[in-house]
Amino acid sequence: MKYATINPVNNQIVKEFETEGFPDLEVSMNAYHQWRKLTASERGEQLKKVADLLENGKRRYAELITLEMGKPISEAEYEINKVLSGFEYYIRQAPVFLKDEMVKTNASKSYIRFEPLGIIFSIMPWNFPFWQVFRFAIPTLMAGNVSILKHSPNVPQCAKAIGDLFVEAGLPEGVFKNYFITNEDAGKLIADLRISGISFTGSDATGSILAAQAGKHIKKCVMELGGNDAFIVLEDANLDFAISGAIKSRSINSGQSCNAAKRFIVVESIAEAFTQKLIAAVGKLNPGDPFDPTTHVGPLARKDLAERVNKQVAESIEGGAVAHYGRSANTGTGNYVTPVVLTGVKPGVRAFEEEIFGPVWSVIRVKDTDEAIATANNSVYGLGASIWTADKVNAERFVSELETGNVFINDIVKSDARIPFGGIKRSGFGRELSEHGLMEFVNIKTVYIN
């Protein structure tokens, strides 16, 4: 396994890193024994130092994201700001969440304590290389755990920068450690008795393997996997508003987001008007150099990812879909995929059945709201769905019918530190963010005194 920065604009190797040996778990265990003794407020004071360093180097870290995986620079800066909002939220709220909870029983005193588990092993993806790491790490560390990170091999400089932040902030060695390790050593880590939990964000195929390994060794795990989110447009929707959401949700990160809208399910009576507006809007998107502030869509993160998306589009066309292409990036060396609207998409077409990780808008026509809900649920995934309508009260009636972990009405599906994020079905299990995410890696201990 090679850890390497390969510029997605031209596929040139920028920097390579050698894999390291098996992590020194005694360093992490020693850090855990120190870290868990601090109060949540004291841990927050330590993590505030990390946040301050991140804020001071915001532009530099954003440029690392753009260099390694091609995210447009404005979105990379937004990602760093989002991480900072996560620090602010948990530093303030974790001490409240972790307070002992008194419970009235037949005992003279009974209560619930929330205690850390130990070393939590995280395996994180490339598409949000800072946010995905920190949205797991901040609440996990605030709860008193320590963490080991295995980041995606194509964002090693981001991984190293994250690890270095904890060193520069002066936190005890081992509270948070990044390692460039092999998949074989990752499997050995999961099996090691000193590892207390696993958090993974990535594909459902890899998640299935890791969840099986975690289950074999009776390890708590959180799996945040893929999605094929439905974007449901009802006949009373404000079409211009819905189109704005459709562009934002699907083009963010050049279409490489698990919670992006991917299937645009539109009621027949307004389908033609919506489709024409969508094709026009996609045609205005500007693909190009991700460091250019006028670029809307950058290259995909790796060559194989771009090849896969192009193959999925081609096979969808063979299956009956019609392609309406936007502007091309006019480059033969980078991992660019031309933005495209696919119409005529139906169950059985590859664009309907699979998650497409790129700038592809798949439009599906349905006769009414009932068919829209049924079509949205016709998926092995269940991460999120959005409903676009003028009647918000009526839309809430359908919330319970959608088989997803997130439902957004008149807004795109997104993560927010204040609310839980996660899915069902092949989109995974467990939750990140909010109080619920913090509680994934704590020992909820009952204390009963008679």
Side-chain angles (χ1 to χ4, degrees):
M1 175 186 293
K2 278 282 187 184
Y3 283 81
T5 302
I6 301 175
N7 189 338
V9 172
N10 53 30
N11 279 305
Q12 293 182 356
I13 297 175
V14 178
K15 193 170 185 178
E16 293 182 298
F17 296 81
E18 294 298 324
T19 54
E20 302 169 82
F22 191 76
D24 187 342
L25 293 182
E26 286 309 302
V27 170
S28 295
M29 286 302 299
N30 290 337
Y32 171 61
H33 292 311
Q34 296 178 56
W35 189 249
R36 73 187 308 273
K37 292 176 183 177
L38 300 179
T39 66
S41 295
E42 288 170 336
R43 292 192 285 265
E45 290 171 6
Q46 295 292 307
L47 290 179
K48 178 67 165 59
K49 298 175 185 177
V50 179
D52 289 343
L53 287 171
L54 182 64
E55 183 159 29
N56 292 337
K58 191 158 43 178
R59 177 70 185 191
R60 176 165 61 91
Y61 296 119
E63 288 176 351
L64 267 185
I65 294 171
T66 298
L67 170 66
E68 292 203 298
M69 54 75 57
K71 189 192 301 283
I73 189 64
S74 61
E75 293 183 22
E77 291 177 329
Y78 176 81
E79 180 175 339
I80 299 299
N81 283 327
K82 192 164 186 175
V83 172
L84 293 170
S85 73
F87 271 108
E88 190 276 329
Y89 173 77
Y90 277 111
I91 289 171
R92 183 183 71 249
Q93 291 297 122
V96 178
F97 297 153
L98 293 166
K99 279 184 178 178
D100 291 350
E101 183 179 318
M102 305 306 297
V103 181
K104 188 174 179 59
T105 66
N106 292 337
S108 58
K109 183 180 182 181
S110 50
Y111 59 98
I112 304 165
R113 287 183 60 83
F114 304 100
E115 298 179 347
L117 295 177
I119 306 172
I120 312 300
F121 178 35
S122 66
I123 304 172
M124 291 294 152
W126 46 263
N127 57 337
F128 291 88
F130 273 70
W131 171 241
Q132 298 278 17
V133 171
F134 279 108
R135 80 179 190 185
F136 150 78
I138 299 168
T140 301
L141 297 179
M142 283 296 299
N145 301 292
V146 299
S147 182
I148 287 173
L149 168 67
K150 179 190 184 300
H151 216 325
S152 185
N154 63 318
V155 289
Q157 293 193 65
C158 288
K160 185 177 184 303
I162 292 169
D164 288 348
L165 278 168
F166 288 86
V167 176
E168 293 168 24
L171 272 70
E173 183 187 7
V175 167
F176 183 97
K177 293 277 284 184
N178 168 69
Y179 289 95
F180 297 135
I181 61 173
T182 63
N183 288 338
E184 182 182 2
D185 278 342
K188 291 177 181 177
L189 264 181
I190 293 172
D192 195 289
L193 291 174
R194 292 166 291 183
I195 297 295
S196 297
I198 301 97
S199 181
F200 171 72
T201 298
S203 72
D204 57 306
T206 302
S208 179
I209 295 168
L210 294 173
Q213 290 178 316
K216 178 182 178 181
H217 299 288
I218 321 295
K219 301 291 176 71
K220 177 66 184 291
C221 63
V222 169
M223 295 283 139
E224 202 279 278
L225 309 178
N228 199 2
D229 285 12
F231 185 105
I232 302 168
V233 187
L234 303 183
E235 60 186 357
D236 62 352
N238 179 322
L239 288 190
D240 290 333
F241 183 54
I243 291 295
S244 176
I247 294 297
K248 183 176 181 181
S249 179
R250 196 66 181 108
S251 65
I252 193 169
N253 207 21
S254 306
Q256 301 169 111
S257 177
C258 60
N259 61 312
K262 299 182 176 79
R263 295 177 299 148
F264 295 80
I265 300 169
V266 191
V267 172
E268 184 67 44
S269 60
I270 48 99
E272 185 62 27
F274 175 87
T275 302
Q276 292 307 314
K277 284 177 177 287
L278 180 62
I279 292 170
V282 170
K284 294 177 181 176
L285 293 176
N286 182 34
D289 179 0
F291 280 101
D292 184 339
T294 66
T295 292
H296 301 122
V297 180
L300 300 197
R302 298 195 313 258
K303 184 177 181 180
D304 63 302
L305 299 171
E307 290 172 346
R308 174 177 169 80
V309 170
N310 283 325
K311 184 177 181 181
Q312 287 174 304
V313 170
E315 292 186 2
S316 295
I317 294 168
E318 290 174 9
V322 178
H324 308 267
Y325 288 99
R327 300 178 190 174
S328 169
N330 296 317
T331 174
T333 58
N335 305 328
Y336 288 93
V337 170
T338 301
V340 60
V341 177
L342 295 178
T343 57
V345 175
K346 299 176 181 178
V349 174
R350 194 167 180 186
F352 184 96
E353 303 295 341
E354 296 181 4
E355 177 179 37
I356 298 182
F357 230 48
V360 181
W361 288 255
S362 299
V363 179
I364 301 117
R365 295 190 181 204
V366 294
K367 66 177 184 294
D368 56 25
T369 301
D370 289 339
E371 187 179 352
I373 300 297
T375 301
N377 289 339
N378 183 11
S379 174
V380 297
Y381 297 104
L383 184 54
S386 61
I387 305 174
W388 300 78
T389 175
D391 190 344
K392 292 178 285 187
V393 174
N394 184 52
E396 283 194 74
R397 291 174 40 236
F398 306 110
V399 168
S400 62
E401 297 180 33
L402 286 164
E403 298 167 357
T404 62
N406 305 271
V407 178
F408 282 59
I409 297 172
N410 291 333
D411 206 341
I412 64 172
V413 177
K414 53 195 171 185
S415 58
D416 183 314
R418 296 165 293 188
I419 51 179
F421 183 84
I424 60 173
K425 299 196 279 190
R426 288 195 72 87
S427 291
F429 51 81
R431 290 295 180 265
E432 293 184 301
L433 303 175
S434 80
E435 181 178 2
H436 298 278
L438 183 145
M439 292 301 173
E440 289 286 0
F441 294 110
V442 300
N443 175 18
I444 302 174
K445 179 182 285 185
T446 296
V447 181
Y448 189 100
I449 303 171
N450 203 359

